[in-house]
Amino acid sequence: MVKFMLLALLRTLLILIFAVWIFIWFLKPTNIWNKNWKQVEDSMQTTVFKYNGVDFVVYTFPIMLLAIVGLIYLYMKSLSSIRRGVKRCLTALYNPVLVKTPLGMLTGIDVLVMSLIITLLVWTFYARISNDFQKLVPAKHLKLNLWQLKLLKISTRFGLLAETCLGFLLFPILRGLSVFRLLGMQFEASVRYHIWIGTMMTLFGVLHGVGTLFIWGINQQINQIWSWQKEGRIYLAGGITFVTLLVIWISSLPSVRRKKFNLFFYMHHLYIVFLVFFLFHAGDKHFYMVFAGVFLFVIDKLLRVIQSSSETRLLSVRIFPSKVIELTFPKDPRLSYTPTSIIFIKIPMISNVHWHPFSITSSCNVDDQTMSVMIKSEGCWTNSLYNILCQKLESNSKTKCIPVAIEGPYGPASFDFIRYDNLLLIAGGIGITPMLSILQEIASAKSDFRNRSPSQIQLIYVVKNSLDISLLNPISHLVLNQNSEFCLLKLKVFVTQEKKGSSTLRELLSSLSISRTVLFDMKKSDYYTLGRGDINPILIGSIIGFSSTIFLLSLCFFNQFLFSAKQKSSKPNSPSSVVDLFLLCSFLIAVACSALVAMVLKWRKSRREREMITTIWDNGGDVMKLRAMEGARSTTTLEEHEIHYGARPIFKDLLHKMEGELEGSNVGVVVCGPESMMESVASACQQKCSKPFKSGSKKQQPFFVYHSLNFNL
């Protein structure tokens, strides 16, 4: 009861902090705010904090506090028990609202978030431009006509909209500090917001740059773009920012990103150049509006780099007939993760820059000493890995370990799929991997957990050919040897590109489970995966608070001892490249201190845990504990399971059939696979959710809640 009360308190605090932060964004363009805020900044000039301190506290600190409280909330949520049942009014937000749009499928949360951002952009532009036009006075030194002056003001305000987009741009791509996890969204889903907001920012940036250059061109003032003055707007910095933004956006287009990943990867790191020159162009007062996202992104990036610097090794590899490989890594027994979690893997033998996300197929409740992923050899990177492993298998020499870098796991704070009365899992091809972890988690749960587990699970697996059924190997013991303690599992396999075969589903599962195994020579116990668990979420929140304090103290030091004379002789509202430089120095000092603290914490904890862990890995032979449940006695048969050849599932009919079987229950629909399949399932769920209740009907319709897992970024 205390935990639930604390969670409710933290949830309320999060809502209040977010409301205050959004309120500041909406109030900032108004005359009331500008007039009163200028007085506040002037009054702070006599204090040690100057105007920089109050700008940081009001504009930046609320989102820092939101991240800190959010980490505490997610940590407490992971410790609390999950109650059965769902709040339909809230979970309905996850259901699709618009299925086929230029932006893809949109859920209720997508519509709410983007509506909030678009409303803020429209309001900001209207409030600023209406105030500009009311006070519009032709400037004699610019020699502009009235329409030219209006166009210049409009171009300037487009730059302000680009700045607003930048303020939200980096939040969706925070992995360890993801604010979107508070909404129950996966990292892959939130990346879409980064793409959408980045596209809008590029559009507004182009309108700002082109409009300004056009006015300068017709008035023969284009030469001022090459000036770098100490005070005022630095137009050369703005030009560099504009060009860098275009390069980043063009290299991020899907046609470039998927075919030329190295180009996308290296060009995307130009964000460092973009942010630095944006600071010099916009000035420190504008930079505080976007500083929170930049600060959290850098802290998150540092923690990721520190974590992934630990070297691990492949423990074993299994190669299946369908060019599917299963990688098994040694894992710290104290590292836990939830189903549908992902890890990023880098193999230096293939590339030093490619980090590929893969869904974890194992469950830490089944085996706390290993962690596994399954990979389908389809792309250049995966084919290279497959060829290397095949060579290792064919070699008669002693198999040496393959060095691997791992980042993660990243996933939901708690396993919420057990809230539902029933589960419908739909997977296509390699999209089966997150479903494997879900099923193993439920099957391995403790007895006090089972009474809240779904009473029935239906797994629909769509593959092109029967060889792909080998991906079901990690759960073959659940399909072939169900026992009475496990909830009813129904499997329906659809093989779309083959005619009816002679083999039964049992025979296919048994034959395709035969794999070739590569055991690596691994005698060191140091090579285990620490993961994100090496730093407690509470400590990460403390690092954020510590970094914020260091940044503010550094600003005070520069203002008080190195820059006080300049501030007395210049206007505090005037942009200054020297002030921007001191802000950048304070930022670097805070980041350096954060990195030092994080490295010390990781070193101390990893050293302490290595002393506690015995030599578990002798020669890599005892690595198949994950298969310990395969020997369970069969208490049911495959009569409930089906296999269909040469056909695709009709999801509308499947959901209609479930309506009669599961009346009044909450059904969680989890989908992972090709985009066309996810759209079909979303359309079926949308029709069922929008279907009105029949008046006078005693039957209550089941409530379908749609969840999609998409890893095609």
Side-chain angles (χ1 to χ4, degrees), residues 200-255:
M200 288 191 295
M201 183 182 71
T202 304
L203 174 62
F204 294 137
V206 169
L207 293 175
H208 168 64
V210 172
T212 304
L213 291 175
F214 174 75
I215 297 299
W216 287 355
I218 62 177
N219 286 274
Q220 299 179 355
Q221 296 178 338
I222 199 72
N223 290 332
Q224 63 181 322
I225 194 175
W226 306 111
S227 61
W228 186 289
Q229 62 276 18
K230 290 185 178 181
E231 293 188 4
R233 297 277 179 245
I234 302 176
Y235 299 116
L236 178 58
I240 297 174
T241 304
F242 177 68
V243 173
T244 306
L245 175 62
L246 287 179
V247 172
I248 293 175
W249 182 77
I250 292 174
S251 63
S252 301
L253 294 175
S255 57

Side-chain angles (χ1 to χ4, degrees), residues 101-150:
T101 69
L103 299 177
M105 183 180 57
L106 301 179
T107 65
I109 288 185
D110 295 334
V111 174
L112 284 178
V113 173
M114 295 309 298
S115 297
L116 177 63
I117 294 176
I118 292 174
T119 302
L120 175 61
L121 293 173
V122 172
W123 163 249
T124 301
F125 183 78
Y126 169 77
R128 292 292 191 183
I129 206 66
S130 60
N131 184 53
D132 290 339
F133 284 179
Q134 288 177 1
K135 300 178 180 179
L136 195 62
V137 177
K140 295 181 180 180
H141 67 282
L142 293 178
K143 299 179 181 180
L144 298 177
N145 297 329
L146 186 60
W147 71 269
Q148 295 172 345
L149 188 59
K150 287 184 177 181

Side-chain angles (χ1 to χ4, degrees), residues 528-546:
Y528 64 90
T529 303
L530 285 170
R532 296 288 303 182
D534 58 349
I535 301 180
N536 190 287
I538 306 299
L539 292 178
I540 297 177
S542 302
I543 290 174
I544 297 174
F546 171 75

Side-chain angles (χ1 to χ4, degrees), residues 598-615:
M599 286 189 292
V600 170
L601 289 175
K602 179 184 176 179
W603 176 78
R604 291 185 59 185
K605 186 166 185 177
S606 61
R607 181 183 178 183
R608 183 170 61 251
E609 291 182 348
R610 282 190 173 95
E611 292 175 353
M612 297 174 59
I613 295 178
T614 58
T615 307

Side-chain angles (χ1 to χ4, degrees), residues 11 33 60 96 112 176 181 191 372 437 441 475 538 546 586 609:
R11 193 181 303 114
W33 176 269
T60 300
L112 284 178
R181 289 180 63 198
V191 168
S372 302
S437 61
E441 185 77 10
I475 60 166
I538 306 299
F546 171 75
S586 302
E609 291 182 348

Side-chain angles (χ1 to χ4, degrees), residues 667-680:
V667 183
V669 182
V670 187
V671 189
C672 186
E675 186 176 353
S676 58
M677 187 184 75
M678 291 196 295
E679 289 181 352
S680 299

